[in-house]
Amino acid sequence: MSTTFGYARVSSTDQDLSIQLAALKAAGCTTIRKEKRSATSMQGRQELKTLLEFLRKGDTLVVTRIDRLARSVGDLQDIVRALKAKGVALKATEQPIDTSTAAGKCFLDMLSVFAEFETNLRKERQLEGIAKAKAAGVYKGRKPSIDVSRVRKLRADGLGATEIADALKIGRSSVYRVLENA
């Protein structure tokens, strides 16, 4: 007996899954796994991992769009290969993807290239924005989390690295790094 499973994902906790969940229910998904994690990596995506382990021959995995599964060609190809090896079909509700057909497989490959391209463009724009802000003197980076003067004062008072780290609730390696640049 084959079963239709759904997978819904958004990148951040302030995004909403309700539209995806409704579309997956309308597509006949009996079980839907959902998570709020970035798709730029497979790391930390426990719901997807659980689902991929659970799927059996003849099952169908449904997503709303292919970028819900992965944002890199490599990760998407790994997922598709794992599904194929298990005899599981992949379908998308908003895109003509059905890996049980040649045209669906072709379209899947094209979309995966564009998903990765979009991610790379976003990273480039972010780096360009940071470089521009730095050049204008606006971007200073993250505020220092370690009070360098306190580290040096505690050292001058005769405390060791471990005692300083404990007192300031920082890592001992951070203390060494500050003292090294003194």
Side-chain angles (χ1 to χ4, degrees), residues 47 51 118 148 178:
E47 292 299 320
L51 185 57
E118 180 183 12
V148 174
V178 168

Side-chain angles (χ1 to χ4, degrees), residues 110-127:
M110 287 189 296
L111 282 177
S112 66
V113 168
F114 286 115
E116 184 170 334
F117 177 63
E118 180 183 12
T119 298
N120 291 337
L121 283 177
R122 192 177 323 107
K123 285 179 184 175
E124 283 180 12
R125 285 191 304 268
Q126 182 181 20
L127 291 174

